Amino acid sequence: MNVLLDNFALFREGFLGTVELTALSGAIALVLGVIMAAFRVSPVPPLRAFGTAWVTLLRNTPLTLLFFIAVLVLPKLGLNTWTFFRLAVLALSCYTSAFICEAVRSGINTVPLGQAEAARSLGMTFTQTLRLIILPQATRTVLPPIGSLLIALTKNSAIAGGFSVTELFSVQKELGEVGYSVFATFIWVALAYLVLTLSISAVFRLLENRLAVAR
């Protein structure tokens, strides 16, 4: 308990850093993931090719390698004014968006094809069909996997601590360097991550119950 009480301000800063990192990365990943899913089911071949390349590249690249690219390569390409925090958000959101894209695409595939055909027969465009007909129906299906992906994102954010970003894992590293018990520090860090992941799980469980079809 002394580890927490003596360094409460540091733990609070790390906790809030993880929350901010997860929230921003998750929001951007959701937007990118839905856009890439739309690209992957688009009738336009170049968009389908771009979406496929995005998913294939990012899903098969280790997240740590993406962090190295973001921190070491991108500044040399003109992003030298970006902070490590922004670069971490970029790496996390792009990586997670590839998995969200596949979750959303699988949800789109569960919607009967007749729904899209009926929309086309009414003169609706592809964008209108996707936004008004397909995605609202697919939402119920994709909520559980997206919730799991955001929980994974929360835990993946620990990698940012190795790249000078203030978050929970960097707190453990900082306290270990000044002589605090690694075991005790890890317990409090693990409990903090548990609070975050359980909170995300509760939010998505609530959404699932709200959107569930009455039987």
Side-chain angles (χ1 to χ4, degrees), residues 16-209:
L16 294 177
T18 296
V19 171
E20 186 178 5
L21 189 60
T22 301
L24 289 176
S25 300
I28 296 172
L30 284 171
V31 173
L32 279 176
V34 172
I35 292 174
M36 291 303 155
F39 282 5
R40 294 212 65 186
V41 299
S42 169
V44 182
L47 293 181
R48 289 202 306 272
F50 182 83
T52 301
W54 180 275
V55 171
T56 301
L57 178 63
L58 291 174
R59 287 184 71 188
N60 293 285
T61 302
L63 180 56
T64 305
L65 179 59
L66 288 180
F67 266 92
F68 275 112
I69 293 173
V71 173
L72 301 178
V73 178
L74 292 184
K76 296 182 179 179
L77 300 178
L79 296 181
N80 52 314
T81 59
W82 281 36
T83 62
F84 286 127
F85 181 84
R86 288 185 179 181
L87 294 172
V89 169
L90 179 64
L92 284 168
S93 58
C94 288
Y95 179 79
T96 307
S97 71
F99 294 91
I100 289 179
C101 169
E102 289 301 274
V104 173
R105 187 171 71 93
S106 67
I108 290 174
N109 289 335
T110 64
V111 179
L113 184 60
Q115 299 281 336
E117 293 175 345
R120 282 198 297 269
S121 70
L122 294 174
M124 298 178 69
T125 65
F126 170 76
T127 302
Q128 290 174 327
T129 301
L130 194 65
R131 181 170 58 88
L132 300 175
I133 306 297
I134 306 299
L135 285 179
Q137 298 182 68
T139 300
R140 297 187 184 95
T141 306
V142 303
L143 276 177
I146 286 181
S148 298
L149 289 171
L150 292 182
I151 288 174
L153 168 63
T154 304
K155 294 181 286 187
N156 287 339
S157 67
I159 299 177
F163 293 87
S164 301
V165 177
T166 300
E167 49 80 57
L168 283 170
F169 188 75
S170 68
V171 171
Q172 182 277 325
K173 184 175 64 173
E174 185 173 341
L175 293 180
E177 290 175 351
V178 297
Y180 280 94
S181 170
V182 174
F183 180 74
T185 306
F186 263 124
I187 288 178
W188 290 113
V189 170
L191 287 175
Y193 276 115
L194 186 62
V195 168
L196 291 175
T197 55
L198 289 179
S199 298
I200 294 173
S201 179
V203 169
F204 274 84
R205 191 178 300 111
L206 178 62
L207 290 175
E208 288 176 45
N209 293 336

